[in-house]
Each structure stands twice: as structure tokens, then as C-alpha cells.
Amino acid sequence: MAAENASSMTLFFDPADAETGRVERAMREADLAFRRIDISTNKLMARAATYLSGSSTFPQLFVGDLNIERCDIEPLAQDGSLAALSGHKTDRIDLAALSSEGLETAVEPINLSDLIPVKDGRDDREPETWPMLQFFSRLFGFWPNMCSPLYRWPQAYKLSFYCQHMPAMAEALELLGHRTTTSVALSASHRYGCRYSLIHAAVAGGERSLETAREFSQSLREGANGTGGPPDLRKSCIDLAARSVTNSVADEHLAAMASVSSDASEANRRVSAVAAIAASFGFLNVFCSLSGVEPEGHWTCQANKHAGFDVGAAAREGPVFPLPDYAPPKGRTPTLDGMLDTYRANVEDAGGVEAYCRRELGIMPRWIGLWPEGGRALHAYFYTEMMQTRTHERIPSELRHLMAHVSAAARDHSYLASFEGWQAWRTGGADTWSLDRLRHAYDASRMRFVPSGLYNARERAALKLAWVSAQIPARAPRRWIQDAAEHFDPEELVQLLTTSAVAGLTQRFCAIARPSTEGMIRSFFKEHGLPSDALSMRYPLDGVMGTSTL
């Protein structure tokens, strides 16, 4: 007991969480002494842990003032890294210095949508948006609430619809059918904890999607998560979608899809279709959860009453932006297919997807090569327009790639963390300065020490937001989000939110597609002594890691 009281390690835990036992066992097997704090009986300490870490999930470990994220405690205990860290960090966090009143305010969530004035796009005079409005009117009868903040970045508003969601949905409906496609959307949104997307997935298809939602919610109540019983196509897809959120897809889960397909080609097409629709909901889940946008009231009521979900009370009775019987202004109106052809032509005119990617990104990313062929050119165009230097962007491309790098590292996506890190270095000037910024990006996102002058306050705020966006769910505690709210105007906030959403999109796809790191990027990380696996990016234990500024 004396050793535990003197230890620099502090474990915040909830005894009801099954992971607590595994974590404590791993630490004791590594002969590590640590102070234990039961947050189930001490709400003040629960708030203290969230204040210090930015996360509301437990268990949480601190070595001195350095937070060890929940999923990392066991591997770092087993490989000796925690013991090494404890030898360097002998002072433990001073919990007595934290006031109850200050903690309560600091950890309350911020809805960033409250900081972004409402902007109504129903009367848009831009012809490119008219097919979207016709689609929303015909399918929903209203303009979705999430469109209001997204509309502040017109390119993101249009391209996410035309180049990502529509082709992904079309591919999934063709290969998987309506019931399974709806199940994939429900599974991904439920696992992430996105109320807005869960309601939309349950209600958007009318009685067909409501029936699927009832089946899914019933399986949740039975503890099967929609995957109980013998394997079939729908259950395999549900499982892949949920695992894409947690980046836990393994060979056995892909083999399950093969077992319910007629041949390898069909299995691969189905896996790609699930990955693409899961990716779309990666974008929607992150954007809606991080912004805090409220779901439409009447759909909330339908989900509660007819889908078997308890999604909370509706903020209002009806839609905020009704859009019945929309008719575009008179004149030549683009068609949905025509818009897809227009965007696809930007890639085809460059010589195809590979030539376009090499021109824009300096490389053909392996994940884009694995994207379903029918939507590959559109996805490549969407990604580059959102992430590369463009006249419509307010946030530098280098910072957006650093945000995606941080988000991928936080979610243990080594491939994407490496790819986005290389892109950040490349767009930042490909020099020593950009290399140092990459080396310390994750430290900056976690409020650790970084060399003076490397990041300004705006950039630190953006990187902290990127880290929060990678949490499940993406809860936005005031202390970790307030800086972004203070340093960025509404249009810039939307671009930060969209960047985080694009990172969520690519992570979901890569969790299922599992591309290997490109040789050029692997050589870059090796040449410059940079860690290429996400765990080492989070905890560079070679002396690079500085003292926390918590």
C-alpha cells in the first residue's frame, strides 16, 4: 500500500467496466505500483480525469501528469514502457489543486453548432445545389439540420453529397440491398454513439428502414449487437461496420464475408461496398457529433416511437428547414447524374485516378486504389478538394493534414497516420521546419510540451480538436474545445469540423480495406527517424516526449 501511495501512477477506474480488471491485471503482472481512484463513487474525480485527459471513458491512467489513453495501458505495461516512463516522471498529479466548481464548468460539453450562426440554403441560386435540394425535398421533405453549418463551406456541402454519399449509397444498395445497407448505417452510428445519424438511418427510408431499425434495436436489447446466430450477409456487414469504428477488423471478420459470398470477387465487392458506406457515416458521425447539431424533432419522435430506440427528447416538434415540393428556379437545371459526370471529368481530364492523385498528392494512395471502382474518381476528387491547397480553403493544407495525422494516430491507424504525416510534411514545405512540426504534432494535440515557436495558439487549438474528434463518442469538453471556439470564426470552425470528418471517413474505410503503407512513405519515416506505428507516435519514448502542460 505504501508503494501505491508513493507511486507516480494514478489509475482512474469504474469497477463496472470489464476493461478495468484486464488493465489492473496487466499492470500488476508488470510489477507496477499505482494509486487507484474509483470514479463510480467520486464524481469529482471523474470530472478531474476528463478535465486532465479530454476523455470521458474509463479506465484512465496517468504517469505523473502524462495521460496514457485507455487502449494503450495494457500494451505499454506489457512491453516495459510504463516502467520506463515512471522512472522519468516521479511527481504525480496534484488532484487537490483542482476545484469542484472549476472542474464542472471545464468538462461540460460545448455544442460548436451554437457558435455557428444558422445559414439557410433552401433558396440557393447556385444551380449545382438544385439537384441536392430536389433530393432532400423528395426523400425527406426538409433540408437536414446538419446542412446548415456545412453550408458555410459550399464546396464541402456539395462535394460530400455528390462525390461521397451518393456514389457510396448507390454502390451499397446495388450490392447489399436496402435492408443490409440500412443495417450498416445503423451499426456504425450506434457504435460511434451518434444520435443524429442513428435517427436518420432509422427513419430516412420510411417504413422499410423503421422495420430494419426495430430488428436492430431488438438485437441490441438481446445483447447480440445485430450479429447473433449463424453468419449471413447482413450480420457480416453489421459486424464489419461496427468494427470499422473501433479499427478492430481482423482476417476472421473478412473471412466471414467470404463464407456468405459465392466467390472471392463477390466477397471483395461486398467488403468494398460496406467500407464505402461505413466511410460515409464516418464523415456524418464525426461532423454531427462534434458539432452537436440537433436531429429533426419529428424524426426523433418517430425513432423513439417506431424504431425501438431511446434517443432522447426532441428539441422541437417539426423540421427546422421544411422543404416540401421543391422546384428549382426556371431555367436549365442540372441533373444528379450530370453533376456526378462534371466532378468525375476533373479526374478523367488529368489522365485518370492515378495520374490525378500523383499530380495532387505526389503519390497514388493505396486506399484510393482499393475504393469501389464506380466511385473511385469522385472520392479522389472529394479528398483532394477538402485536404489540398485551394482558393476556397481558410485553413492551410499542412495544418489540415496534421489534424488528420493526429486523429489517425489517436485511433491507432498507423497507415493513415503515416500517410497524413507525409502529406503534412510535403505541403508544409518538405523542410526541417515541417519535419519538426510533424514530429511534435501529437504532443501539441495533447497539451504536452513542444519546442517554443513550433505551433501558435490557433494551431494548437486545431490539433486538440482533431484529437477530440477521434474519441468515441466525440464529446467536446469545454477545456479541450474552448480554444478552437475563441481562435476561429464560424467559417473556419466548419472547415476544422469538416477536416475531422474527412479523417473519420478515411479511417473507417481503411479499417476494413487495410492497405499497407506505401514504400515511399515508409522510407521517409525511416530516413528521418520518425515512428511509423501509431502507438509509438502517441508515446515517443526515445526522449522526444516532453513534459505535459496540463
Side-chain angles (χ1 to χ4, degrees):
M1 181 64 70
E4 292 182 2
N5 289 337
S7 173
S8 64
M9 295 192 188
T10 303
L11 181 71
F12 295 86
F13 70 95
D14 183 343
D17 191 313
E19 196 166 338
T20 293
R22 294 196 302 272
V23 163
E24 290 198 281
R25 185 162 52 253
M27 293 182 68
R28 296 196 189 284
E29 288 175 355
D31 199 26
L32 296 169
F34 54 95
R35 173 174 54 164
R36 302 170 75 253
I37 296 179
D38 183 351
I39 59 94
S40 68
T41 58
N42 192 331
K43 299 306 178 187
L44 175 63
M45 289 297 98
R47 287 194 289 269
T50 298
Y51 172 86
L52 293 167
S53 70
S55 174
S56 58
T57 59
F58 295 90
Q60 290 186 29
L61 178 68
F62 288 82
V63 182
D65 57 7
L66 175 67
N67 175 231
I68 307 299
E69 296 167 32
R70 169 184 174 134
C71 62
D72 300 329
I73 301 173
E74 286 183 80
L76 291 179
Q78 292 165 354
D79 72 6
S81 296
L82 285 184
L85 276 172
S86 65
H88 289 284
K89 293 182 172 290
T90 56
D91 295 330
R92 64 184 183 184
I93 48 178
D94 183 6
L95 297 173
L98 303 174
S99 72
S100 175
E101 182 177 344
L103 286 176
E104 188 169 2
T105 301
V107 302
E108 66 180 4
I110 292 180
N111 282 340
L112 290 175
S113 60
D114 294 341
L115 307 176
I116 302 170
V118 171
K119 192 169 185 179
D120 190 343
R122 289 175 295 174
D123 294 323
D124 197 321
R125 311 305 292 181
E126 168 58 58
E128 289 188 356
T129 67
W130 297 347
M132 297 173 63
L133 294 170
Q134 288 177 305
F135 176 88
F136 291 138
S137 176
R138 184 177 67 253
L139 188 65
F140 299 161
F142 59 84
W143 193 57
N145 288 352
M146 73 156 289
C147 288
S148 179
L150 190 58
Y151 187 59
R152 288 188 171 274
W153 191 2
Q155 287 75 14
Y157 167 67
K158 292 183 292 186
L159 296 183
S160 61
F161 178 84
Y162 289 123
C163 296
Q164 177 57 44
H165 305 321
M166 291 306 296
M169 186 65 69
E171 180 92 7
L173 288 172
E174 179 182 352
L175 290 174
L176 308 176
H178 186 278
R179 179 169 175 257
T180 297
T181 299
T182 299
S183 298
V184 167
L186 290 167
S187 178
S189 300
H190 175 266
R191 183 63 188 85
Y192 186 76
C194 180
R195 178 171 173 250
Y196 186 98
S197 300
L198 185 67
I199 291 170
H200 270 244
V203 182
E207 182 52 38
R208 282 198 301 174
S209 61
L210 283 169
E211 181 180 357
T212 301
R214 284 192 291 272
E215 294 175 356
F216 183 78
S217 61
Q218 179 63 32
S219 73
L220 292 176
R221 287 191 291 273
E222 294 171 354
N225 297 321
T227 60
D232 61 24
L233 174 61
R234 178 169 167 268
K235 292 171 185 174
S236 296
C237 292
I238 287 173
D239 190 40
L240 281 180
R243 290 182 178 280
S244 75
V245 178
T246 56
N247 190 22
S248 58
V249 176
D251 290 345
E252 64 198 74
H253 308 118
L254 297 174
M257 179 68 81
S259 72
V260 296
S261 301
S262 60
D263 54 35
S265 176
E266 182 181 59
N268 289 336
R269 292 198 308 274
R270 286 173 166 178
V271 166
S272 294
V274 173
I277 200 69
S280 272
F281 276 84
F283 181 96
L284 296 168
N285 292 167
V286 172
F287 189 91
C288 295
S289 294
L290 197 58
S291 67
V293 65
E294 277 291 322
E296 293 74 18
H298 63 310
W299 275 23
T300 302
C301 293
Q302 287 187 55
N304 278 323
K305 185 175 181 180
H306 301 297
F309 291 122
D310 181 5
V311 291
R316 54 182 291 157
E317 291 185 2
V320 177
F321 305 104
L323 191 64
D325 304 320
Y326 172 80
K330 291 183 179 180
R332 188 172 182 178
T333 303
T335 65
L336 182 57
D337 287 341
M339 289 307 307
L340 298 180
D341 289 341
T342 296
Y343 292 124
R344 194 179 286 113
N346 290 296
V347 177
E348 293 172 349
D349 290 346
V353 174
E354 182 167 352
Y356 175 81
C357 287
R358 291 191 183 281
R359 186 189 76 188
E360 297 292 334
L361 302 170
I363 197 171
M364 174 61 189
R366 284 185 174 155
W367 101 76
I368 292 181
L370 294 170
W371 199 270
E373 186 175 1
R376 190 176 300 156
L378 293 168
H379 172 69
Y381 184 69
F382 172 61
Y383 176 81
T384 55
E385 286 294 303
M386 294 298 96
M387 298 298 289
Q388 300 307 97
T389 300
R390 296 291 187 266
T391 57
H392 55 73
E393 53 96 9
R394 297 275 304 278
I395 307 298
S397 178
E398 183 230 16
L399 181 56
R400 280 177 281 142
H401 283 296
L402 286 172
M403 290 178 66
H405 163 76
V406 164
S407 176
R411 286 254 45 85
D412 210 36
H413 282 275
S414 297
Y415 167 79
L416 279 172
S418 297
F419 178 86
E420 295 291 358
W422 182 75
Q423 284 293 323
W425 170 78
R426 178 176 171 271
T427 56
D431 53 16
T432 302
W433 173 256
S434 57
L435 189 67
D436 285 343
R437 283 167 62 83
L438 169 58
R439 193 184 302 276
H440 292 283
Y442 199 85
D443 286 341
S445 78
R446 301 298 286 130
M447 295 195 209
R448 299 172 189 161
F449 170 81
V450 297
S452 177
L454 202 56
Y455 286 104
N456 61 35
R458 276 170 56 92
E459 292 168 333
R460 281 179 173 269
L463 294 176
K464 284 194 293 182
L465 179 67
W467 183 86
V468 170
S469 77
Q471 306 311 298
I472 303 175
R475 185 177 180 273
R478 179 176 296 278
R479 181 172 186 252
W480 289 80
I481 297 296
Q482 187 67 45
D483 286 348
E486 292 176 354
H487 286 291
F488 296 96
D489 65 31
E491 280 69 26
E492 291 172 325
L493 279 176
V494 169
Q495 294 202 6
L496 295 179
L497 289 169
T498 303
T499 298
S500 298
V502 170
L505 182 160
T506 56
Q507 288 167 28
R508 299 277 180 95
F509 184 84
C510 289
I512 296 175
R514 303 195 300 169
S516 58
T517 302
E518 295 82 1
M520 180 190 303
I521 296 176
R522 190 166 54 249
S523 297
F524 165 79
F525 274 79
K526 183 177 181 179
E527 176 186 351
H528 294 288
L530 294 168
S532 58
D533 68 282
L535 182 63
S536 297
M537 291 176 188
R538 296 193 293 275
Y539 309 99
L541 303 176
D542 56 357
V544 175
M545 179 181 290
T547 303
S548 170
T549 59
L550 291 171

